[in-house]
Amino acid sequence: MKAIILSAGQGKRLFPLTENTPKCLLALGSGTTLLSWQLNQLAQAGIKEAVVVTGYQAQHVEQEIDRCRNQLHIRTIYNPDYATSDNLRSVWHAREEMTGDFILLNGDTLFTADVVTTLMASPPQPITVTTARKDRYDSDDMKVKLKDGLLHAIGKTLDLDSVDAESIGMIRFQGEGVAHFRSTVERIVESGKGDAVWYLSVIDTLAKLMDIHITTIPGENWCEVDFPVDLQRARSAITQWAMTGDQGLEAAAS
């Protein structure tokens, strides 16, 4: 199983923290960055290969990756359009890597290795979206609506009364799901609409054509880093995970 990590963005909503530092290289503590934590947790979950899509200050991201290569085999793909497009374009640049089963994850999703193992252990399906539930959702959440246990719709603008969960930004593709996803991404980009949409809009489109399955993980086992307050929560989260035995800081910083 391969992991593809979308880490091309600057993270402007985190200014001034990301004025000169890519979001994926923000420090979490003890020499750990968001990217190094992700790579460490993937390795601990048994992932052997990772592809990182870079963009903003790619040379610095490459340096961080060099520091993490002892954990798993890593290579990079550069997205030259990172400043003028959304993350569907990063997915498009990585499309040649989508020839077999893979996990796609956002570069700002922080998680424990247990999240990956739970996804890997879920029943084989063409597309499986990792979700979490909470008491209330806000406008920035990538909200999920279910129907008969399957993903029916996904997006930030779903009616809050219809929301059942949120996507954490980690999806597994297997078998025919790989080809369906890749061909839909290519079709959208070729139509000229690929720079202004998220890749999860592809999942929303495919949900009208095929079964999209979900696997649910505990909300306390993940967080995302979009705003400065999220960074503080992320730092607190990994400290708590380390205290409870969930993959400590030392391994991620090594």
Side-chain angles (χ1 to χ4, degrees):
M1 182 68 69
K2 176 194 302 180
I4 299 176
I5 307 175
L6 306 179
S7 296
Q10 181 177 4
K12 292 183 178 179
R13 291 185 294 182
L14 282 152
F15 267 26
L17 300 174
T18 54
E19 187 172 3
N20 298 300
T21 302
K23 179 195 287 193
C24 66
L25 297 189
L26 290 175
L28 299 178
S30 299
T32 303
T33 63
L34 208 163
L35 179 58
S36 69
W37 178 273
Q38 289 182 316
L39 293 170
N40 174 264
Q41 300 308 292
L42 289 168
Q44 293 206 32
I47 302 297
K48 305 296 184 184
E49 181 181 6
V51 177
V52 180
V53 183
T54 66
Y56 178 66
Q57 293 201 359
Q59 70 277 16
H60 293 146
V61 180
E62 293 274 5
Q63 291 171 2
E64 178 70 350
I65 288 172
D66 286 340
R67 196 171 68 96
C68 302
R69 290 190 189 278
N70 61 324
Q71 300 176 56
L72 68 172
H73 179 67
I74 311 168
R75 58 185 175 277
T76 61
I77 294 174
Y78 179 66
N79 172 12
D81 308 303
Y82 70 88
T84 58
S85 61
D86 221 308
N87 60 18
L88 181 65
R89 179 65 72 168
S90 283
V91 171
W92 182 81
H93 280 290
R95 68 195 185 282
E96 298 299 330
E97 294 287 346
M98 302 174 187
T99 56
D101 298 352
F102 69 96
I103 293 173
L104 180 65
L105 62 126
N106 294 343
D108 58 6
T109 299
L110 202 67
F111 52 88
T112 66
D114 287 345
V115 172
V116 184
T117 55
T118 296
L119 176 59
M120 295 283 286
S122 62
Q125 300 292 348
I127 302 177
T128 304
V129 177
T130 308
T131 63
R133 293 187 172 95
K134 58 185 181 182
D135 293 335
R136 55 184 297 182
Y137 302 90
D138 59 45
S139 60
D140 199 56
D141 292 332
M142 190 58 71
K143 294 171 281 291
V144 170
K145 180 179 180 180
L146 303 178
K147 184 177 181 180
D148 299 326
L150 298 172
L151 189 148
H152 180 66
I154 184 169
K156 290 190 175 184
T157 60
L158 295 182
D159 186 343
L160 290 177
D161 292 334
S162 69
V163 174
D164 297 295
E166 66 176 320
S167 167
I168 76 163
M170 181 183 295
I171 307 176
R172 185 187 67 186
F173 297 89
Q174 294 178 293
E176 64 179 356
V178 175
H180 284 306
F181 180 69
R182 174 175 169 168
S183 63
T184 306
V185 168
E186 291 176 335
R187 185 165 63 251
I188 292 173
V189 172
E190 289 167 2
S191 73
K193 301 177 181 179
D195 288 342
V197 295
W198 295 299
Y199 75 85
L200 284 172
S201 64
V202 176
I203 302 300
D204 187 68
T205 297
L206 290 174
K208 312 300 187 292
L209 306 173
M210 60 186 292
D211 289 348
I212 306 293
H213 293 257
I214 68 161
T215 189
T216 302
I217 57 102
E220 63 269 19
N221 285 1
W222 82 285
C223 62
E224 62 182 347
V225 182
D226 283 323
F227 301 98
V229 65
D230 296 331
L231 184 60
Q232 296 303 319
R233 291 170 181 164
R235 288 168 175 165
S236 297
I238 64 171
T239 298
Q240 181 63 35
W241 294 337
M243 290 174 59
T244 57
D246 286 325
Q247 294 78 37
L249 291 170
E250 293 81 5
S254 63

